[in-house]
Amino acid sequence: MEKTDEISKFYKNNELELEKVIEKYTAYVYSIVRARVTKIRTEDAEEIISDVFLAVWNNRNKLDLNKSMSLYISGITKNLINKKLRNIKKDENITEYDENLINLENLELKVEESEKNQIILKELENMNSEDKDIFMYYYYYSRKIKEIAKILNISESKIKVKLSRIRKKMRQALERKGYKVEK
């Protein structure tokens, strides 16, 4: 069970390849900043992004190589956002400050949901076209099995069997990435 997001993947010859980390996670950090704070100056967002990668570099010898880089970076980002907002808060009144924050739990759910969607999309890319069509019609277009059978000219029982197998593949893919999926 190999994780592509594992911190160890960003090391070469026992040295952190910060450029790879920056290249892969800058947009991710920016999206976290924008999701957590509705009103923030561009300069403040850029400062937070720079500080995130500086913190990664400064703590490179303390990183657990088996952990997820994205989770580590999101934690640093959230802490730096909170620090920045505490400084900004001194200049704003409490009501405006509270309006700028988004519930942390909602952000974590959004990030997790986004990661799950990426896993599902990757699995869809590897499916044959018939399985992909069945999945898309059923889950994205909310079509009934009877409708899908007519559209694809396949028996309803075949659709049910294929959906069961597709769900199993998706569940396995999500579990390989560390997500628990209810059956």
Side-chain angles (χ1 to χ4, degrees), residues 15 39 61 71 78 82 84 89 91 115 123 128 137 144 151 167 182:
E15 189 63 31
K39 294 179 185 176
N61 297 325
L71 291 177
K78 293 168 193 172
N82 290 338
K84 176 60 81 177
K89 185 174 87 169
D91 301 324
E115 289 172 354
E123 285 299 310
N128 66 47
Y137 279 124
K144 295 181 191 288
I151 293 168
R167 279 191 290 267
E182 294 180 26

Side-chain angles (χ1 to χ4, degrees), residues 121-137:
L121 289 173
K122 196 170 196 168
E123 285 299 310
L124 279 173
E125 289 172 8
N126 297 326
M127 283 185 192
N128 66 47
S129 61
E130 185 177 75
D131 288 353
K132 192 184 301 186
D133 289 343
I134 290 170
F135 182 87
M136 296 298 289
Y137 279 124

